[in-house]
Amino acid sequence: MKKIATTLLLAALVVTGCKSNEEKEATPAETTPTENTVEQNTFAVAMEKAHQKDKFSANEAVQFDIQIMFGGKERMNATFTTLTNSTQSVIEYKDGSKIVINNDKVAYSPTIANEDAVRFDAYTWNYFFLFPYKVNDPGTIWTAYDNKEADSANYLTEKLTFKSGTGDAPDDWYVVYADKKTNLLEKAAYIVTIMGGKEAAEKNPHAIKYMDYKEVDGVPIATKWIFTGWKEGTGLTDQLGEATLSNIHFVKVNEDTFKIGEDFKTK
């Protein structure tokens, strides 16, 4: 969901092939809006610091392989190359198909199996990966969140919404949990509105849990994601899917990295 940064669609997780498993419900959590601007929000600043945003941003681009599974079926198997400022990215599938993202423009090879999911795939998975570095982007609004879950004492928790006109899906929201000791992102509940609107999305919110952090050139990066259902006051519910990230490394790009083929379509 190209939300926070004009190139990452925030949120969600329901992919067309998995849409039935991932994106649905949810009653927005009760929150007390504050006047904090994104730049002043200590929760977001602490998370960025814990994730070594300065070191991350000092690199031109990051590359990683990802395999995403839902319901025992492979949803995605691809290599991502993304500028650390999130303005450009390319997704190279194992079958040779590509999606090329340049801010809000998306181009893709005609061999893509599910064209309806192109824009969702272009922004969602990248956003989940870059999330700790996007929490202070223009258009973000942080508010207090009353976490009533059994393990609430283990987390710092706030709610993230977006200003009108932010990205493709400004109605998305997140409930974000950071480990109280480390300030590392541990989980985020969310709705994805790009596929069916806010009313439908809030009927069944989901969550992503970030696990198995490993340092890459001094930057902690989660190498496993678990997708689950989510219920206010309860937290994570049934597992829906998972993603495994590997071969994560910082790279330099060249003029061919984000090259668009002559036969590519746009969305």
Side-chain angles (χ1 to χ4, degrees):
M1 324 274 63
K2 193 187 87 180
K3 207 161 233 290
I4 288 195
T6 177
T7 177
L8 287 175
L9 261 167
L10 203 60
L13 170 216
V14 184
V15 218
T16 68
C18 305
K19 192 186 212 172
S20 57
N21 292 344
E22 302 140 1
E23 212 177 267
K24 298 167 183 175
E25 192 225 58
T27 309
E30 292 294 328
T31 61
T32 303
T34 66
E35 295 302 318
N36 288 349
T37 63
V38 169
E39 293 76 10
Q40 297 172 332
N41 183 271
T42 56
F43 176 87
V45 170
M47 183 181 295
E48 287 182 330
K49 185 175 180 180
H51 284 267
Q52 300 296 324
K53 181 178 180 178
D54 288 347
K55 289 183 179 179
F56 181 85
S57 301
N59 294 281
E60 183 178 16
V62 61
Q63 187 176 87
F64 58 94
D65 296 332
I66 186 169
Q67 181 183 41
I68 303 173
M69 306 288 293
F70 279 99
K73 296 181 179 180
E74 187 175 84
R75 173 60 178 79
M76 173 176 281
N77 194 337
T79 297
F80 281 61
T81 304
T82 301
L83 294 185
T84 57
N85 67 12
S86 78
T87 56
Q88 288 184 280
S89 180
V90 58
I91 303 171
E92 301 177 80
Y93 292 85
K94 298 308 178 185
D95 67 0
S97 300
K98 288 185 179 182
I99 297 177
V100 180
I101 304 99
N102 185 344
N103 288 309
D104 61 349
K105 307 271 192 308
V106 177
Y108 60 100
S109 50
T111 51
I112 289 289
N114 190 341
E115 293 188 48
D116 290 338
V118 165
R119 202 162 179 90
F120 179 91
D121 287 346
Y123 295 109
T124 300
W125 314 115
N126 256 324
Y127 187 80
F128 284 157
F129 180 83
L130 294 172
F131 191 87
Y133 312 105
K134 310 301 295 175
V135 292
N136 265 331
D137 274 7
T140 53
I141 301 172
W142 288 95
T143 57
Y145 180 78
D146 185 12
N147 185 349
K148 297 180 179 179
E149 298 165 25
D151 60 354
S152 62
N154 298 328
Y155 302 102
L156 300 171
T157 312
E158 291 199 16
K159 187 173 183 179
L160 174 63
T161 55
F162 306 90
K163 293 180 180 178
S164 176
T166 302
D168 281 0
D171 289 333
D172 287 357
W173 53 252
Y174 290 80
V175 175
V176 184
Y177 305 73
D179 183 286
K180 185 172 279 189
K181 295 180 179 179
T182 65
N183 287 314
L184 289 176
L185 172 64
E186 184 161 322
K187 49 189 178 180
Y190 58 86
I191 61 168
V192 183
T193 59
I194 193 172
M195 304 290 275
K198 186 175 182 179
E199 183 177 354
E202 288 189 333
K203 292 178 180 178
N204 187 17
H206 292 80
I208 177 173
K209 184 173 183 180
Y210 292 84
M211 303 173 61
D212 297 349
Y213 275 91
K214 295 182 180 178
E215 284 202 359
V216 178
D217 293 344
V219 178
I221 297 176
T223 61
K224 190 174 186 65
W225 303 343
I226 300 294
F227 298 107
T228 72
W230 182 84
K231 184 176 180 181
E232 186 178 356
T234 299
L236 306 185
T237 58
D238 296 339
Q239 181 171 331
L240 303 172
E242 62 182 45
T244 301
L245 288 74
S246 59
N247 195 25
I248 306 168
H249 57 288
F250 294 106
V251 297
K252 294 283 188 181
V253 300
N254 56 49
E255 59 184 9
D256 293 324
T257 303
F258 305 115
K259 187 175 181 179
I260 297 174
E262 294 182 0
D263 60 344
F264 278 26
K265 300 180 180 181
T266 58
K267 231 182 195 334

Coordinates of all heavy atoms in Angstrom, one line a residue, residues 21 45 70-71 81 95 115 124-125 129-130 148 153 183 205 208 213 217-218 229 233 239 256-257:
N21 N -7.7 -15.0 3.1 CA -7.1 -15.2 4.4 C -6.5 -14.0 5.0 O -6.1 -14.0 6.1 CB -5.9 -16.2 4.1 CG -6.3 -17.5 3.7 OD1 -7.4 -17.9 3.9 ND2 -5.4 -18.3 3.2
V45 N 10.5 7.7 16.9 CA 11.9 8.0 17.0 C 12.7 6.9 17.6 O 13.8 6.5 17.1 CB 12.2 9.4 17.7 CG1 13.6 9.6 17.9 CG2 11.6 10.5 16.9
F70 N 0.8 -19.0 2.3 CA -0.5 -18.9 2.9 C -1.3 -20.2 2.7 O -1.4 -20.7 1.6 CB -1.3 -17.7 2.4 CG -0.9 -16.4 3.0 CD1 0.0 -15.5 2.3 CD2 -1.3 -16.0 4.2 CE1 0.4 -14.3 2.8 CE2 -1.0 -14.8 4.7 CZ -0.1 -13.9 4.1
G71 N -1.8 -20.7 3.8 CA -2.6 -21.9 3.7 C -1.8 -23.1 3.0 O -2.4 -23.9 2.3
T81 N 14.8 -5.7 -4.8 CA 15.9 -4.7 -4.7 C 15.2 -3.4 -4.6 O 14.4 -3.0 -5.4 CB 16.7 -4.7 -6.0 OG1 17.2 -6.0 -6.2 CG2 17.9 -3.7 -5.8
D95 N 10.2 -17.0 -11.8 CA 9.8 -17.4 -13.1 C 10.3 -16.4 -14.2 O 10.0 -16.6 -15.4 CB 8.3 -17.7 -13.2 CG 7.5 -16.4 -13.1 OD1 8.1 -15.4 -12.9 OD2 6.3 -16.5 -13.2
E115 N -2.6 -10.1 -12.6 CA -2.5 -8.7 -12.8 C -3.2 -7.9 -11.8 O -2.9 -6.8 -11.4 CB -3.0 -8.3 -14.2 CG -2.1 -8.9 -15.3 CD -2.4 -8.3 -16.7 OE1 -2.6 -7.1 -16.8 OE2 -2.5 -9.2 -17.6
T124 N 3.0 -3.6 -0.9 CA 2.7 -4.1 0.5 C 3.9 -4.8 1.1 O 4.3 -4.5 2.2 CB 1.6 -5.2 0.4 OG1 0.4 -4.5 -0.1 CG2 1.3 -5.8 1.7
W125 N 4.5 -5.7 0.4 CA 5.7 -6.5 1.0 C 6.9 -5.6 1.2 O 7.6 -5.7 2.2 CB 6.0 -7.6 0.0 CG 4.8 -8.4 -0.4 CD1 4.4 -8.5 -1.7 CD2 3.9 -9.1 0.4 NE1 3.2 -9.2 -1.7 CE2 2.9 -9.6 -0.5 CE3 3.8 -9.4 1.8 CZ2 1.8 -10.4 0.0 CZ3 2.7 -10.1 2.2 CH2 1.7 -10.6 1.4
F129 N 8.6 -4.7 4.9 CA 10.1 -4.8 5.1 C 10.7 -3.5 5.6 O 11.5 -3.4 6.6 CB 10.8 -5.2 3.8 CG 12.3 -5.3 3.9 CD1 12.9 -6.5 4.4 CD2 13.1 -4.2 3.6 CE1 14.2 -6.6 4.6 CE2 14.5 -4.3 3.7 CZ 15.1 -5.5 4.2
L130 N 10.2 -2.4 5.0 CA 10.8 -1.1 5.4 C 10.1 -0.4 6.5 O 10.4 0.7 6.9 CB 10.7 -0.1 4.1 CG 11.5 -0.5 2.9 CD1 11.2 0.3 1.7 CD2 13.0 -0.4 3.3
K148 N -4.9 -3.5 26.2 CA -5.5 -4.3 27.2 C -5.2 -5.8 27.1 O -5.9 -6.6 27.8 CB -7.0 -4.1 27.3 CG -7.3 -2.6 27.6 CD -8.8 -2.4 27.6 CE -9.2 -0.9 27.9 NZ -10.7 -0.7 28.0
A153 N 2.3 -5.5 29.2 CA 3.5 -5.0 29.9 C 4.8 -5.1 29.2 O 5.8 -4.5 29.5 CB 3.6 -5.6 31.3
N183 N 13.0 -1.7 22.0 CA 12.4 -0.7 21.0 C 12.3 -1.3 19.6 O 12.0 -0.6 18.6 CB 13.0 0.6 21.0 CG 12.7 1.4 22.2 OD1 11.6 1.5 22.7 ND2 13.8 2.0 22.8
P205 N -9.4 -7.6 10.9 CA -8.0 -7.1 10.9 C -7.0 -8.3 11.0 O -7.3 -9.3 11.5 CB -7.9 -6.2 12.1 CG -8.9 -6.8 13.0 CD -10.1 -7.3 12.2
I208 N 1.1 -8.8 11.6 CA 2.3 -9.4 11.2 C 3.3 -9.4 12.4 O 3.4 -8.4 13.1 CB 2.9 -8.6 10.0 CG1 4.3 -9.2 9.6 CG2 3.0 -7.2 10.3 CD1 4.9 -8.6 8.3
Y213 N 15.5 -11.8 14.3 CA 16.3 -10.6 13.9 C 17.7 -11.1 13.7 O 18.3 -11.8 14.5 CB 16.2 -9.5 14.9 CG 15.0 -8.6 14.7 CD1 13.8 -8.8 15.3 CD2 15.1 -7.5 13.8 CE1 12.7 -8.0 15.2 CE2 14.0 -6.6 13.6 CZ 12.8 -6.9 14.3 OH 11.7 -6.0 14.1
D217 N 25.3 -5.8 8.4 CA 26.1 -4.6 8.5 C 25.7 -3.7 9.6 O 25.6 -2.4 9.4 CB 26.1 -3.9 7.1 CG 26.8 -4.6 6.0 OD1 27.5 -5.6 6.3 OD2 26.5 -4.3 4.8
G218 N 25.4 -4.2 10.8 CA 25.0 -3.4 11.9 C 23.6 -3.1 12.0 O 23.2 -2.4 12.9
G229 N -4.4 -13.6 12.5 CA -5.6 -12.7 12.7 C -5.3 -11.9 13.9 O -4.3 -12.0 14.6
G233 N -8.0 -6.2 22.2 CA -8.1 -6.7 23.6 C -7.5 -8.1 23.8 O -7.1 -8.5 24.9
Q239 N -2.8 -18.3 13.2 CA -1.8 -18.1 12.2 C -2.4 -18.3 10.8 O -3.1 -19.3 10.6 CB -0.6 -19.0 12.3 CG 0.5 -18.7 11.3 CD 1.8 -19.4 11.6 OE1 2.2 -19.7 12.7 NE2 2.6 -19.7 10.5
D256 N 20.5 -0.3 -15.2 CA 19.7 -1.5 -15.6 C 18.8 -2.0 -14.5 O 17.9 -2.8 -14.7 CB 20.6 -2.6 -16.2 CG 21.2 -2.2 -17.5 OD1 20.6 -1.4 -18.3 OD2 22.4 -2.6 -17.7
T257 N 19.1 -1.6 -13.2 CA 18.4 -2.2 -12.1 C 16.9 -2.1 -12.2 O 16.2 -3.0 -12.0 CB 18.9 -1.6 -10.8 OG1 20.4 -1.8 -10.7 CG2 18.3 -2.3 -9.6

